[in-house]
Amino acid sequence: MSYPTAKVIADQVRAGKRSAVSVAQTAIRRIEKFDGAINAFTDHTFNRALLTAADIDRQVAQGIDPGPMAGVPFAVKNLFDIEGLVTRAGSKIRRTANPPTRDSAQVASWVNAGGVLMGALNMDEFAYGFTTENAHDGATHNPHDLTRMSGGSSGGSAAAVAAGLVPIAAGSDTNGSIRVPAAFCGVFGLKPTYGRLSRRGAFPFVHSFDHVGPFARTVGDLALAYNAAQGDDADDPVQARRSKAEISLDENSPPPDFRIGVLGDWFQNNAWPEALDAVEQVAK
């Protein structure tokens, strides 16, 4: 399922070569066409998306830079607060909770950078699981093979990106919940250093271990999303009070101290040979 990268979309929108509204409309059509089989989304925010996109186009017409994610569609795991939408966190019991009155820090940061929110994504209940086979919202299927699982607990986020429904999505990771679905769905996922990104408005699992982070189909898009998500937030007491540490969007220029760790012992002795071959290729 071909889909332009977030960086390409943002560059086109900021240059006036493509309207943010047309980008949002394309994303809506793709979600409506493909997500019935994948089940990545639990909630849509299409009306909000079109209004946001129209405002971005007005800014561009007035010579105002909407931000580095101008017109980029994104979605978030349904444990992130979205103004006016109940934060279900994959559960049944929270469906009668009061909807939040403001966006989570993760949503707000990407919106402030010009991103366009398309909706909320499926997950394991209360982020406790590795499969995203949710008893209340159904299973999220792997876009590469609908008979297989997407991983979890941020399976909806990884599947939405892998299927090209959105180029960027947000998830959370306490014990693998970004890394596992990213691996299963063949996309990039980032679990940032604890305290780097604000978790304000993200429903907690284990407060002292919870991380939030992005998914993307390219390293450049992952860097774009991560850079836009940074910033001080006094409402998250454990966030590190440090200046932004932006990553280069040039995928061919890793930092000089770049290191790769390869797991040995149990993993080397018990993994499928095909998996070990793939790891070796990546490490090289």
Side-chain angles (χ1 to χ4, degrees):
M1 301 177 186
S2 177
Y3 199 94
T5 66
K7 187 177 185 305
V8 167
I9 292 171
D11 288 345
Q12 290 177 340
V13 169
R14 294 165 74 188
K17 295 179 179 179
R18 187 178 182 187
S19 72
V21 168
S22 71
V23 174
Q25 289 171 335
T26 298
I28 291 170
R29 287 194 296 268
R30 291 184 66 84
I31 293 167
E32 291 177 338
K33 181 177 181 179
F34 295 114
D35 193 48
I38 298 168
N39 194 35
F41 280 81
T42 55
D43 304 272
H44 299 143
T45 56
F46 293 162
N47 289 336
R48 169 176 171 166
L50 292 171
L51 289 173
T52 300
D55 184 58
I56 290 169
D57 288 337
R58 282 192 290 270
Q59 292 180 54
V60 172
Q62 296 170 8
I64 301 171
D65 185 351
M69 287 179 57
V72 174
F74 73 91
V76 298
K77 189 175 182 177
N78 70 31
L79 57 66
F80 290 97
D81 284 354
I82 296 173
E83 182 181 356
L85 184 69
V86 173
T87 307
R88 62 177 74 182
S91 73
K92 180 178 181 180
I93 195 171
R94 284 193 51 79
R95 289 164 199 245
T96 57
N98 292 326
T101 57
R102 64 170 177 163
D103 290 335
S104 63
Q106 178 64 76
V107 172
S109 65
W110 284 352
V111 169
N112 291 338
V116 177
L117 176 66
M118 306 305 300
L121 299 163
N122 202 8
M123 59 178 285
D124 285 292
E125 188 166 7
F126 291 123
Y128 192 75
F130 288 108
T131 65
T132 310
E133 294 173 325
N134 189 289
H136 316 298
D137 295 308
T140 294
H141 304 288
N142 194 309
H144 302 293
D145 182 346
L146 297 177
T147 68
R148 312 236 175 205
M149 67 179 66
S150 62
S153 64
S154 307
S157 302
V161 170
L165 306 182
V166 289
I168 286 173
S172 64
D173 191 312
T174 304
N175 190 33
S177 289
I178 288 175
R179 293 161 289 165
V180 169
F184 278 29
C185 292
V187 298
F188 293 97
L190 176 64
K191 175 192 175 187
T193 301
Y194 182 81
R196 166 54 76 180
L197 301 184
S198 173
R199 301 176 304 173
R200 191 260 302 162
F203 195 88
F205 177 24
V206 181
H207 191 273
S208 57
F209 288 100
D210 291 343
H211 300 63
V212 299
F215 291 86
R217 289 186 298 117
T218 70
V219 174
D221 280 0
L222 196 71
L224 176 67
Y226 173 63
N227 291 345
Q230 294 186 49
D232 288 336
D233 185 353
D235 291 335
D236 183 350
V238 303
Q239 189 187 17
R241 300 297 176 244
R242 298 178 58 188
S243 58
K244 295 179 69 172
E246 294 196 352
I247 299 173
S248 170
L249 302 188
D250 183 357
E251 299 181 20
N252 297 314
S253 299
D257 59 348
F258 186 74
R259 295 182 300 164
I260 297 175
V262 178
L263 294 172
D265 194 39
W266 187 92
F267 296 92
Q268 289 288 332
N269 295 329
N270 293 277
W272 288 101
E274 296 86 350
L276 293 174
D277 289 343
V279 170
E280 185 178 359
Q281 291 179 36
V282 172
K284 288 180 178 178

mmCIF file of all heavy atoms in Angstrom, residues 85-113:
data_model
loop_
_atom_site.group_PDB
_atom_site.id
_atom_site.type_symbol
_atom_site.label_atom_id
_atom_site.label_comp_id
_atom_site.label_asym_id
_atom_site.label_seq_id
_atom_site.Cartn_x
_atom_site.Cartn_y
_atom_site.Cartn_z
ATOM 1 N N LEU A 85 -13.080 13.242 23.435
ATOM 2 C CA LEU A 85 -13.214 11.818 23.134
ATOM 3 C C LEU A 85 -12.805 11.010 24.356
ATOM 4 O O LEU A 85 -11.726 11.216 24.914
ATOM 5 C CB LEU A 85 -12.331 11.447 21.937
ATOM 6 C CG LEU A 85 -12.409 10.021 21.408
ATOM 7 C CD1 LEU A 85 -13.764 9.774 20.744
ATOM 8 C CD2 LEU A 85 -11.285 9.764 20.408
ATOM 9 N N VAL A 86 -13.660 10.094 24.788
ATOM 10 C CA VAL A 86 -13.357 9.296 25.979
ATOM 11 C C VAL A 86 -12.059 8.517 25.778
ATOM 12 O O VAL A 86 -11.868 7.862 24.752
ATOM 13 C CB VAL A 86 -14.501 8.322 26.292
ATOM 14 C CG1 VAL A 86 -14.109 7.373 27.422
ATOM 15 C CG2 VAL A 86 -15.760 9.089 26.673
ATOM 16 N N THR A 87 -11.175 8.593 26.762
ATOM 17 C CA THR A 87 -9.922 7.851 26.733
ATOM 18 C C THR A 87 -10.180 6.455 27.274
ATOM 19 O O THR A 87 -10.189 6.232 28.476
ATOM 20 C CB THR A 87 -8.845 8.560 27.581
ATOM 21 O OG1 THR A 87 -8.740 9.919 27.160
ATOM 22 C CG2 THR A 87 -7.489 7.877 27.435
ATOM 23 N N ARG A 88 -10.391 5.498 26.383
ATOM 24 C CA ARG A 88 -10.820 4.166 26.828
ATOM 25 C C ARG A 88 -9.667 3.285 27.295
ATOM 26 O O ARG A 88 -9.873 2.341 28.043
ATOM 27 C CB ARG A 88 -11.615 3.472 25.723
ATOM 28 C CG ARG A 88 -10.839 3.228 24.459
ATOM 29 C CD ARG A 88 -11.684 2.475 23.427
ATOM 30 N NE ARG A 88 -12.694 3.330 22.812
ATOM 31 C CZ ARG A 88 -13.576 2.891 21.919
ATOM 32 N NH1 ARG A 88 -13.586 1.626 21.578
ATOM 33 N NH2 ARG A 88 -14.453 3.704 21.378
ATOM 34 N N ALA A 89 -8.443 3.551 26.851
ATOM 35 C CA ALA A 89 -7.278 2.726 27.209
ATOM 36 C C ALA A 89 -7.534 1.247 26.940
ATOM 37 O O ALA A 89 -7.113 0.380 27.693
ATOM 38 C CB ALA A 89 -6.885 2.951 28.669
ATOM 39 N N GLY A 90 -8.253 0.967 25.882
ATOM 40 C CA GLY A 90 -8.517 -0.405 25.491
ATOM 41 C C GLY A 90 -9.505 -1.140 26.367
ATOM 42 O O GLY A 90 -9.704 -2.339 26.190
ATOM 43 N N SER A 91 -10.147 -0.446 27.301
ATOM 44 C CA SER A 91 -10.988 -1.122 28.292
ATOM 45 C C SER A 91 -12.474 -0.933 28.002
ATOM 46 O O SER A 91 -12.875 -0.096 27.199
ATOM 47 C CB SER A 91 -10.676 -0.589 29.689
ATOM 48 O OG SER A 91 -11.200 0.721 29.838
ATOM 49 N N LYS A 92 -13.279 -1.706 28.697
ATOM 50 C CA LYS A 92 -14.721 -1.555 28.640
ATOM 51 C C LYS A 92 -15.211 -0.604 29.726
ATOM 52 O O LYS A 92 -16.089 0.218 29.503
ATOM 53 C CB LYS A 92 -15.397 -2.922 28.808
ATOM 54 C CG LYS A 92 -16.913 -2.876 28.757
ATOM 55 C CD LYS A 92 -17.501 -4.276 28.887
ATOM 56 C CE LYS A 92 -19.033 -4.225 28.813
ATOM 57 N NZ LYS A 92 -19.611 -5.589 28.932
ATOM 58 N N ILE A 93 -14.586 -0.700 30.897
ATOM 59 C CA ILE A 93 -15.066 0.048 32.047
ATOM 60 C C ILE A 93 -14.925 1.550 31.875
ATOM 61 O O ILE A 93 -15.692 2.336 32.434
ATOM 62 C CB ILE A 93 -14.345 -0.430 33.335
ATOM 63 C CG1 ILE A 93 -15.071 0.071 34.575
ATOM 64 C CG2 ILE A 93 -12.886 0.011 33.340
ATOM 65 C CD1 ILE A 93 -14.546 -0.528 35.863
ATOM 66 N N ARG A 94 -13.962 1.996 31.061
ATOM 67 C CA ARG A 94 -13.717 3.428 30.907
ATOM 68 C C ARG A 94 -14.583 4.081 29.827
ATOM 69 O O ARG A 94 -14.498 5.278 29.603
ATOM 70 C CB ARG A 94 -12.240 3.686 30.604
ATOM 71 C CG ARG A 94 -11.339 3.551 31.829
ATOM 72 C CD ARG A 94 -9.965 4.109 31.573
ATOM 73 N NE ARG A 94 -9.978 5.458 31.023
ATOM 74 C CZ ARG A 94 -10.166 6.566 31.746
ATOM 75 N NH1 ARG A 94 -10.361 6.488 33.058
ATOM 76 N NH2 ARG A 94 -10.155 7.742 31.159
ATOM 77 N N ARG A 95 -15.428 3.320 29.181
ATOM 78 C CA ARG A 95 -16.216 3.891 28.094
ATOM 79 C C ARG A 95 -17.271 4.872 28.571
ATOM 80 O O ARG A 95 -17.801 5.650 27.772
ATOM 81 C CB ARG A 95 -16.844 2.769 27.269
ATOM 82 C CG ARG A 95 -15.780 2.036 26.464
ATOM 83 C CD ARG A 95 -16.251 0.694 25.930
ATOM 84 N NE ARG A 95 -15.065 -0.086 25.597
ATOM 85 C CZ ARG A 95 -14.735 -0.470 24.371
ATOM 86 N NH1 ARG A 95 -15.516 -0.165 23.362
ATOM 87 N NH2 ARG A 95 -13.639 -1.155 24.168
ATOM 88 N N THR A 96 -17.557 4.851 29.847
ATOM 89 C CA THR A 96 -18.506 5.816 30.407
ATOM 90 C C THR A 96 -17.794 6.946 31.150
ATOM 91 O O THR A 96 -18.434 7.754 31.810
ATOM 92 C CB THR A 96 -19.480 5.107 31.365
ATOM 93 O OG1 THR A 96 -18.739 4.442 32.386
ATOM 94 C CG2 THR A 96 -20.331 4.091 30.612
ATOM 95 N N ALA A 97 -16.469 6.988 31.065
ATOM 96 C CA ALA A 97 -15.714 8.067 31.719
ATOM 97 C C ALA A 97 -15.968 9.391 31.027
ATOM 98 O O ALA A 97 -16.399 9.441 29.868
ATOM 99 C CB ALA A 97 -14.215 7.745 31.688
ATOM 100 N N ASN A 98 -15.721 10.472 31.738
ATOM 101 C CA ASN A 98 -15.870 11.799 31.150
ATOM 102 C C ASN A 98 -14.758 12.032 30.127
ATOM 103 O O ASN A 98 -13.590 11.710 30.392
ATOM 104 C CB ASN A 98 -15.804 12.881 32.222
ATOM 105 C CG ASN A 98 -16.994 12.848 33.157
ATOM 106 O OD1 ASN A 98 -18.103 12.527 32.743
ATOM 107 N ND2 ASN A 98 -16.768 13.151 34.421
ATOM 108 N N PRO A 99 -15.083 12.594 28.983
ATOM 109 C CA PRO A 99 -14.024 12.862 28.000
ATOM 110 C C PRO A 99 -13.106 13.974 28.485
ATOM 111 O O PRO A 99 -13.533 14.882 29.215
ATOM 112 C CB PRO A 99 -14.805 13.297 26.751
ATOM 113 C CG PRO A 99 -16.114 13.791 27.271
ATOM 114 C CD PRO A 99 -16.415 12.970 28.489
ATOM 115 N N PRO A 100 -11.834 13.928 28.145
ATOM 116 C CA PRO A 100 -10.897 14.969 28.582
ATOM 117 C C PRO A 100 -11.233 16.321 27.947
ATOM 118 O O PRO A 100 -11.823 16.389 26.854
ATOM 119 C CB PRO A 100 -9.545 14.454 28.093
ATOM 120 C CG PRO A 100 -9.868 13.513 26.984
ATOM 121 C CD PRO A 100 -11.183 12.895 27.331
ATOM 122 N N THR A 101 -10.840 17.366 28.631
ATOM 123 C CA THR A 101 -11.121 18.726 28.146
ATOM 124 C C THR A 101 -9.949 19.313 27.365
ATOM 125 O O THR A 101 -10.054 20.430 26.869
ATOM 126 C CB THR A 101 -11.454 19.645 29.323
ATOM 127 O OG1 THR A 101 -10.356 19.635 30.260
ATOM 128 C CG2 THR A 101 -12.717 19.176 30.029
ATOM 129 N N ARG A 102 -8.856 18.580 27.281
ATOM 130 C CA ARG A 102 -7.734 19.023 26.452
ATOM 131 C C ARG A 102 -6.965 17.811 25.948
ATOM 132 O O ARG A 102 -7.079 16.716 26.492
ATOM 133 C CB ARG A 102 -6.804 19.958 27.222
ATOM 134 C CG ARG A 102 -6.090 19.343 28.418
ATOM 135 C CD ARG A 102 -5.022 20.292 28.948
ATOM 136 N NE ARG A 102 -4.365 19.783 30.144
ATOM 137 C CZ ARG A 102 -3.209 20.241 30.616
ATOM 138 N NH1 ARG A 102 -2.584 21.225 29.981
ATOM 139 N NH2 ARG A 102 -2.672 19.747 31.715
ATOM 140 N N ASP A 103 -6.193 18.040 24.912
ATOM 141 C CA ASP A 103 -5.387 16.966 24.328
ATOM 142 C C ASP A 103 -4.233 16.593 25.241
ATOM 143 O O ASP A 103 -3.735 17.411 26.017
ATOM 144 C CB ASP A 103 -4.813 17.408 22.984
ATOM 145 C CG ASP A 103 -5.862 17.544 21.896
ATOM 146 O OD1 ASP A 103 -6.907 16.874 21.990
ATOM 147 O OD2 ASP A 103 -5.624 18.326 20.953
ATOM 148 N N SER A 104 -3.783 15.368 25.124
ATOM 149 C CA SER A 104 -2.553 14.939 25.784
ATOM 150 C C SER A 104 -1.378 15.723 25.224
ATOM 151 O O SER A 104 -1.452 16.330 24.148
ATOM 152 C CB SER A 104 -2.328 13.447 25.556
ATOM 153 O OG SER A 104 -2.157 13.191 24.167
ATOM 154 N N ALA A 105 -0.272 15.690 25.934
ATOM 155 C CA ALA A 105 0.933 16.384 25.470
ATOM 156 C C ALA A 105 1.387 15.843 24.118
ATOM 157 O O ALA A 105 1.844 16.594 23.251
ATOM 158 C CB ALA A 105 2.052 16.244 26.500
ATOM 159 N N GLN A 106 1.270 14.515 23.928
ATOM 160 C CA GLN A 106 1.692 13.907 22.672
ATOM 161 C C GLN A 106 0.873 14.438 21.500
ATOM 162 O O GLN A 106 1.412 14.832 20.464
ATOM 163 C CB GLN A 106 1.561 12.395 22.752
ATOM 164 C CG GLN A 106 1.923 11.655 21.480
ATOM 165 C CD GLN A 106 3.382 11.837 21.119
ATOM 166 O OE1 GLN A 106 4.257 11.238 21.727
ATOM 167 N NE2 GLN A 106 3.664 12.656 20.118
ATOM 168 N N VAL A 107 -0.439 14.452 21.645
ATOM 169 C CA VAL A 107 -1.308 14.959 20.579
ATOM 170 C C VAL A 107 -1.046 16.446 20.349
ATOM 171 O O VAL A 107 -0.890 16.898 19.209
ATOM 172 C CB VAL A 107 -2.788 14.716 20.928
ATOM 173 C CG1 VAL A 107 -3.700 15.423 19.926
ATOM 174 C CG2 VAL A 107 -3.095 13.224 20.952
ATOM 175 N N ALA A 108 -0.981 17.209 21.427
ATOM 176 C CA ALA A 108 -0.798 18.657 21.307
ATOM 177 C C ALA A 108 0.517 19.006 20.622
ATOM 178 O O ALA A 108 0.583 19.935 19.799
ATOM 179 C CB ALA A 108 -0.857 19.303 22.689
ATOM 180 N N SER A 109 1.576 18.267 20.922
ATOM 181 C CA SER A 109 2.874 18.583 20.332
ATOM 182 C C SER A 109 2.851 18.397 18.820
ATOM 183 O O SER A 109 3.395 19.224 18.077
ATOM 184 C CB SER A 109 3.976 17.712 20.962
ATOM 185 O OG SER A 109 3.784 16.341 20.659
ATOM 186 N N TRP A 110 2.226 17.316 18.352
ATOM 187 C CA TRP A 110 2.168 17.081 16.910
ATOM 188 C C TRP A 110 1.195 18.029 16.220
ATOM 189 O O TRP A 110 1.447 18.459 15.094
ATOM 190 C CB TRP A 110 1.812 15.624 16.640
ATOM 191 C CG TRP A 110 2.966 14.691 16.877
ATOM 192 C CD1 TRP A 110 4.266 15.033 17.145
ATOM 193 C CD2 TRP A 110 2.937 13.263 16.872
ATOM 194 N NE1 TRP A 110 5.047 13.916 17.307
ATOM 195 C CE2 TRP A 110 4.267 12.813 17.144
ATOM 196 C CE3 TRP A 110 1.938 12.322 16.669
ATOM 197 C CZ2 TRP A 110 4.599 11.458 17.217
ATOM 198 C CZ3 TRP A 110 2.266 10.978 16.737
ATOM 199 C CH2 TRP A 110 3.578 10.550 17.004
ATOM 200 N N VAL A 111 0.106 18.378 16.880
ATOM 201 C CA VAL A 111 -0.822 19.365 16.309
ATOM 202 C C VAL A 111 -0.135 20.724 16.206
ATOM 203 O O VAL A 111 -0.250 21.426 15.191
ATOM 204 C CB VAL A 111 -2.108 19.458 17.146
ATOM 205 C CG1 VAL A 111 -2.947 20.658 16.719
ATOM 206 C CG2 VAL A 111 -2.922 18.174 17.011
ATOM 207 N N ASN A 112 0.589 21.109 17.239
ATOM 208 C CA ASN A 112 1.308 22.385 17.219
ATOM 209 C C ASN A 112 2.380 22.422 16.133
ATOM 210 O O ASN A 112 2.770 23.500 15.670
ATOM 211 C CB ASN A 112 1.936 22.661 18.587
ATOM 212 C CG ASN A 112 0.912 22.948 19.654
ATOM 213 O OD1 ASN A 112 -0.220 23.351 19.355
ATOM 214 N ND2 ASN A 112 1.266 22.737 20.913
ATOM 215 N N ALA A 113 2.858 21.227 15.743
ATOM 216 C CA ALA A 113 3.865 21.141 14.682
ATOM 217 C C ALA A 113 3.227 21.062 13.299
ATOM 218 O O ALA A 113 3.933 20.934 12.299
ATOM 219 C CB ALA A 113 4.751 19.925 14.900
#
